[in-house]
Amino acid sequence: MSAALPTTSREWHLVARPHGWPKAEDFALREAAVAAPAEGRILVRNKHFSVDPYMRGRMNDVKSYTPPFKLDHPMDGGAVGEVIASNAEGFAVGDHVLHGLGWREIADLPAKHAVKVDAGLAPLSAYLGVLGMPGLTAYAGLFEVASFKEGDAVFVSGAAGAVGSQVGQLAKIKGASRVIGSAGSDEKVKLLVEEYGFDAAFNYKNGPVRDQLAEAAPDGIDVYFDNVGGDHLEAAIGALNVHGRAAICGMIAQYNATEPTPGPRNMALIIGKRLRIQGLLVSDHADLQGRFVQEVAGWLASGELKYRETTVEGIENGYDAFVGLLRGENTGKMIVSLA
């Protein structure tokens, strides 16, 4: 066991349920005592933690697929760090692990809830993005939920984010006939085409999504990967070809809405086109983890797959990083680095 363990750790607590956009006063950075780990547990000094769009839903006190954050308790989420004390077989001081107790400096957790990761295979932060939950979401959503096949034309909304940028590149690697992305700035549009190899991309703020998509995909699309909802979903339903498939991963456009948001007005097209529209939760696809890491690590090594991260330094900036993510200030995965 490590000699000089820290005695305190800072951690972010949710102190009020946000109404609409989260405000700084809904959160508090608090200090907690740290003790040596009990039997079967490890202490991890977090190096990086993840902020993700799904966390906004967990701030509401509603029943969902994952329990809401408790008030006046530390929030959680993906994190990678170094074991600084171990009272569990198979884990030694100095091991790097991926686990679910982010939003804090020191995590005390059962060893069975940690997975060792190889810092030699990829930078540690990659296990929160391209090799982590967002990466597996992209992989499972495209190949399993949307049943992608070679020759499909694919449209991805929120395409410059951690999930969307990977979806588009995976589709290209596997032989898509055309890949189109939407993003919220001209700079991101340029990145999609020039660095990630999308065939076309557009800034959804520059005009109606429906019109820009029709121009970018004159022959329609076969697969839609939805991170946005709203006008993007309506446009995609209009553009999808007969027997098209849509994987619904997120609807960031309405996460902070205080009134019900209107749904697509062209749902009747689903019938004639025989569309399949299916929701996606990454937790349903844990069985793909091994194959996913093996394939994606290979594409990273070969340079076929590229990724970006937006890093915010310091735990004290955790709230700013999260709100920045909701505003689209990130390119690729948004990471809070404690290193």
Side-chain angles (χ1 to χ4, degrees), residues 35-198:
E39 193 174 339
R41 299 179 75 90
I42 55 175
L43 277 191
V44 179
R45 185 189 300 283
N46 285 336
K47 301 264 189 192
H48 311 278
F49 69 81
S50 177
V51 290
D52 301 282
Y54 81 88
M55 294 173 174
R56 176 61 188 87
R58 294 190 65 193
M59 293 171 186
N60 301 330
D61 191 13
V62 293
K63 191 174 181 183
S64 183
Y65 61 88
T66 187
F69 290 129
K70 292 180 182 173
L71 292 182
D72 297 306
H73 281 72
M75 295 187 292
D76 54 63
V80 279
E82 185 179 339
V83 175
I84 56 170
S86 173
N87 198 356
E89 211 175 308
F91 287 86
V93 170
D95 285 347
H96 291 111
V97 294
L98 172 68
H99 62 89
L101 294 185
W103 289 95
R104 69 199 80 191
E105 290 174 314
I106 308 291
D108 179 343
L109 67 145
K112 65 182 179 186
H113 293 163
V115 177
K116 284 191 203 178
V117 293
D118 183 355
L121 188 63
L124 283 178
S125 57
Y127 290 97
L128 297 175
V130 66
L131 283 173
M133 183 269 288
L136 182 57
T137 301
Y139 187 92
L142 183 64
F143 298 134
E144 294 275 311
V145 178
S147 309
F148 172 85
K149 57 188 187 298
E150 192 177 342
D152 279 343
V154 178
F155 171 44
V156 188
S157 59
V163 175
S165 59
Q166 200 153 334
V167 171
Q169 291 182 84
L170 294 182
K172 289 295 286 185
I173 289 167
K174 290 289 194 176
S177 61
R178 190 164 176 79
V179 174
I180 302 121
S182 75
S185 74
D186 294 342
E187 189 185 3
K188 288 180 180 179
V189 165
K190 193 177 169 193
L191 174 78
L192 291 176
V193 175
E194 293 182 4
E195 188 167 330
Y196 294 151
F198 282 57

Side-chain angles (χ1 to χ4, degrees), residues 287-327:
D287 58 313
L288 296 177
Q289 178 74 26
R291 192 174 94 201
F292 154 72
V293 170
Q294 193 175 9
E295 276 202 278
V296 171
W299 292 326
L300 286 173
S302 70
E304 289 175 272
L305 183 66
K306 299 175 173 67
Y307 70 98
R308 291 276 191 102
E309 292 174 346
T310 300
T311 303
V312 173
E313 298 285 345
I315 190 169
E316 62 279 1
N317 296 314
Y319 161 77
D320 294 329
F322 177 65
V323 172
L325 170 81
L326 295 179
R327 291 197 181 114

Side-chain angles (χ1 to χ4, degrees), residues 267-285:
M267 300 281 274
L269 292 176
I270 295 170
I271 305 163
K273 294 186 181 188
R274 283 87 87 201
L275 303 181
R276 175 157 61 80
I277 297 178
Q278 185 177 334
L280 159 64
L281 286 184
V282 68
S283 52
D284 293 341
H285 302 279

Side-chain angles (χ1 to χ4, degrees), residues 242-263:
V242 172
H243 297 302
R245 290 89 63 205
I248 312 298
C249 176
M251 295 199 172
I252 200 167
Q254 57 203 58
Y255 287 168
N256 295 299
T258 54
E259 299 295 328
T261 49

